[in-house]
Amino acid sequence: DEADHAIKIVGKYNLRTTLPLLQDGNKRDNFILVQDTSFVQQNDWIRIQFNDSGLYTSSWGKNTVSQIVQVESKSGDTLFLKSELRRNFLVSRDAAITVHDFAENSGLECFKILRKDNTSPIIKSNIFFGFTANSWVKGIQSDSCTFAHIEARYSSNLAIRNNFLNY
């Protein structure tokens, strides 16, 4: 839910379909095999996830262990990835991908945020990235927040530098 964040850069949570992996994706592989590649195009951003039960200790962590990666190309049932897998994605744990429409190449630079509203008990961020890639926050001052000055969910290749964040 992106409501009430001060500034939002958000792609589309596009649950066109969930495509199961046909075989385990192994750490350091740069490819995965999926059931149907017709929904996936070159340069699409995908989220690879699995049943992460037992890997989190707080309920908010459920279904968050995943990897965001861009598709380099495809051939048959194989998707070639622009980045290596950072972990194993096991078929026995229901490994699958979803395809999303990412916001890309968006940046915020050189301004100040002074958050005066109180969103409690709902926690909201001053700057929120969701399903976003190749974007940045540079040279901003963020004063006061009820959760995070800058929050990123399901995003990749974000540059956050030379900022002054204070409560």
Side-chain angles (χ1 to χ4, degrees):
D1 179 16
E2 295 89 36
D4 299 322
H5 296 294
I7 298 171
K8 299 172 282 265
I9 298 176
V10 181
K12 292 180 184 171
Y13 179 78
N14 190 356
L15 196 55
R16 289 184 260 184
T17 190
T18 299
L19 305 172
L21 268 61
L22 293 175
Q23 71 179 38
D24 293 346
N26 296 306
K27 184 176 181 177
R28 295 191 184 93
D29 282 352
N30 69 341
F31 66 92
I32 53 174
L33 277 70
V34 296
Q35 203 167 64
D36 179 5
T37 61
S38 65
F39 293 96
V40 186
Q41 303 304 317
Q42 182 178 13
N43 295 319
D44 275 351
W45 288 94
I46 62 173
R47 178 178 175 221
I48 310 169
Q49 70 257 3
F50 62 98
N51 178 344
D52 61 4
S53 178
L55 297 178
Y56 56 88
T57 56
S58 298
S59 61
W60 59 262
K62 185 178 181 180
N63 298 321
T64 60
V65 180
S66 61
Q67 182 172 343
I68 302 294
V69 65
Q70 196 170 25
V71 175
E72 179 81 45
S73 62
K74 68 180 184 175
S75 177
D77 58 5
T78 304
L79 297 178
F80 296 94
L81 311 173
K82 289 190 177 182
S83 305
E84 293 180 349
L85 296 177
R86 294 188 317 264
R87 64 169 305 119
N88 295 327
F89 291 92
L90 305 178
V91 172
S92 63
R93 291 191 74 136
D94 302 320
I97 68 164
T98 50
V99 183
H100 302 280
D101 296 324
F102 271 50
E104 291 192 73
N105 304 312
S106 300
L108 302 168
E109 297 184 12
C110 301
F111 64 91
K112 178 179 179 175
I113 300 171
L114 176 56
R115 187 89 189 229
K116 291 185 176 183
D117 63 335
N118 184 356
T119 61
S120 285
I122 300 168
I123 52 176
K124 296 298 175 179
S125 300
N126 288 352
I127 298 171
F128 178 85
F129 290 101
F131 297 103
T132 305
N134 303 315
S135 298
W136 65 94
V137 179
K138 179 181 174 185
I140 65 120
Q141 180 179 356
S142 179
D143 187 345
S144 302
C145 63
T146 59
F147 180 59
H149 292 281
I150 303 169
E151 178 182 359
R153 288 190 204 162
Y154 307 120
S155 295
S156 182
N157 303 329
L158 300 181
I160 300 171
R161 62 177 172 260
N162 303 324
N163 299 294
F164 181 66
L165 312 175
N166 58 302
Y167 188 61

